[in-house]
Amino acid sequence: MNFKKYLENRKNIIDKALDEYLPPEEKSPSIIHKAMRYSVFGGGKRIRPILTFAAAELFGKDTKNVIKAACGIELIHTFSLIHDDLPCMDNDDFRRGKPSNHKVFGEAIALLAGDALLVYGFDLIIKNSEVKEIKKQSILKLIKEISFYIGTENMLGGQVEDTNLKNEDIKKEDLTNLYMKKTAALICLSVRAGAILSGANQKQLEALTKYGENIGLAFQIIDDMLDIMQDQRDLKKPNYANKYGIKESKSESERLIKEAKDSLKIFNHKTATLRSLADYLLTRKR
Ligand code: GRG
């Protein structure tokens, strides 16, 4: 299967599973289920669950062994987007070219839809323990990991720093450190999740962590470039691309992607998908 087909195929698997796992819109209280589904099916690329699949596939596991955990991570990602767009945060009226959740459902329901997706995300990850090929111990390890990677030392902490970011001078090191927490942490966790559930050893996990951190950092820098070049977003804050320019952002993201791929060398086989995923991030247009 070529890589474009691979992406399409895995995205379809995830879309179908999410549709099956989420409560139907008609289920009471209908408004919250509508709001959850509005953002979950709002055109996301599914990068994070695809990374979980690809990491599991590296260890010869089938996608069905990790699909609930992969979908759980996507729900947690969607929760973070809904909250990120709220007036008290980034105050964005649009997400993926469509009105953001609070613009359609109002702030209170958007806030609750985000909360509900976080809860559902954890619930799905726990339900992955029903798969007999997966060790219960690895699910416990994953839950502990997620709490760490989205907590105050990582994603949540990064968002706090981002919220307090003014149009003042921020050192490059501090900005990349913020990106590592706000964006790279969940991307790295998505890779680690597939590996942990597949029984990866410490050395393998370390290599995949380096891969995840580097693609995660590149992901945010590329996102900054896209924001500048094509998004309707009102850039009120400094970001890597508007501070250091497109040329440097491009070369830095290319360097990070190369480093990510280099860290896969210890596997010396079956890393084609993870390598292609890293390259794809450099060429993505949205
Ligand atoms: C984790 C408890 C807890 C709170 C969350 C709101 C918040 C705190 C964090 C927001 C973090 C955030 C929105 C980071 C930006 C990451 C980013 C570049 C998202 C876009 O990812 P894509 O392009 O999204 O993969 P799609 O649209 O494809 O789903």
Side-chain angles (χ1 to χ4, degrees):
M1 198 186 305
N2 71 32
F3 183 65
K4 193 164 169 271
K5 283 247 152 57
Y6 174 88
L7 275 185
E8 262 174 42
N9 173 280
R10 297 305 185 264
K11 184 176 176 301
N12 286 339
I13 292 175
I14 292 152
D15 287 348
K16 223 171 129 238
L18 284 167
D19 188 34
E20 184 192 320
Y21 301 150
L22 281 172
E25 286 194 357
E26 316 77 72
K27 188 168 180 180
S28 177
S30 175
I31 189 71
I32 192 78
H33 298 138
K34 274 194 180 128
M36 288 158 76
R37 283 178 167 267
Y38 176 80
S39 291
V40 172
F41 298 106
K45 297 179 288 298
R46 315 297 193 206
I47 297 289
R48 294 158 191 77
I50 292 176
L51 282 166
T52 304
F53 279 175
E57 285 162 350
L58 174 66
F59 297 95
K61 298 278 182 221
D62 192 275
T63 53
K64 63 177 185 296
N65 290 329
V66 297
I67 190 154
K68 287 194 171 150
C71 287
I73 292 170
E74 181 68 5
L75 295 188
I76 293 172
H77 159 65
T78 312
F79 136 73
S80 78
L81 299 182
I82 297 175
H83 280 202
D84 189 50
D85 290 339
L86 286 171
C88 60
M89 298 256 175
D90 272 8
N91 192 17
D92 272 311
D93 290 353
F94 290 92
R95 166 72 56 186
R96 304 158 175 152
K98 295 180 191 142
S100 38
N101 199 293
H102 65 272
K103 281 284 156 195
V104 179
F105 297 95
E107 274 181 57
I109 294 298
L111 184 82
L112 293 169
D115 294 343
L117 289 170
L118 176 62
V119 174
Y120 256 88
F122 273 99
D123 185 54
L124 269 182
I125 292 156
I126 292 164
K127 286 194 172 122
N128 209 129
S129 63
E130 291 157 9
V131 177
K132 77 171 187 327
E133 284 84 356
I134 298 297
K135 289 204 177 100
K136 305 275 176 291
Q137 205 56 32
S138 68
I139 298 284
L140 282 180
K141 182 172 162 67
L142 180 57
I143 291 168
K144 196 170 162 217
E145 289 252 329
I146 296 184
S147 311
F148 174 69
Y149 275 89
I150 70 172
T152 51
E153 285 180 57
N154 283 293
M155 193 186 196
L156 205 148
Q159 182 73 355
V160 172
E161 287 175 23
D162 189 79
T163 305
N164 290 335
L165 200 59
K166 303 275 167 352
N167 212 350
E168 70 211 13
D169 224 21
I170 176 165
K171 283 198 269 156
K172 194 185 278 184
E173 193 194 335
D174 293 336
L175 188 62
T176 50
N177 192 26
L178 187 163
Y179 284 2
M180 193 58 95
K181 297 183 202 168
K182 184 184 82 158
T183 305
L186 190 63
I187 289 179
C188 183
L189 181 268
S190 308
V191 179
R192 283 178 63 93
I196 288 168
L197 297 183
S198 307
N201 65 32
Q202 198 52 31
K203 191 171 164 226
Q204 291 166 329
L205 259 185
E206 273 166 25
L208 288 168
T209 301
K210 279 212 180 83
Y211 167 86
E213 286 175 352
N214 281 310
I215 63 163
L217 205 46
F219 187 93
Q220 184 60 60
I221 295 174
I222 293 158
D223 215 64
D224 289 353
M225 284 194 277
L226 293 174
D227 267 350
I228 287 195
M229 294 189 300
Q230 51 179 242
D231 219 348
Q232 316 100 314
R233 276 162 196 259
D234 176 16
L235 290 177
K236 305 150 221 155
K237 285 181 192 168
N239 77 20
Y240 200 98
N242 67 20
K243 252 185 104 53
Y244 305 109
I246 296 292
K247 202 168 158 228
E248 183 178 332
S249 306
K250 210 166 168 294
S251 65
E252 180 59 3
S253 47
E254 283 166 359
R255 185 189 69 75
L256 289 162
I257 293 296
K258 183 181 176 306
E259 216 159 284
K261 290 190 292 185
D262 284 349
S263 60
L264 298 175
K265 278 182 183 150
I266 66 148
F267 295 102
N268 63 40
H269 70 296
K270 290 187 185 159
T271 56
T273 307
L274 286 172
R275 296 171 66 82
S276 298
L277 274 164
D279 285 331
Y280 156 75
L281 298 183
L282 282 176
T283 58
R284 74 185 177 100
K285 298 285 180 281
R286 65 180 191 96

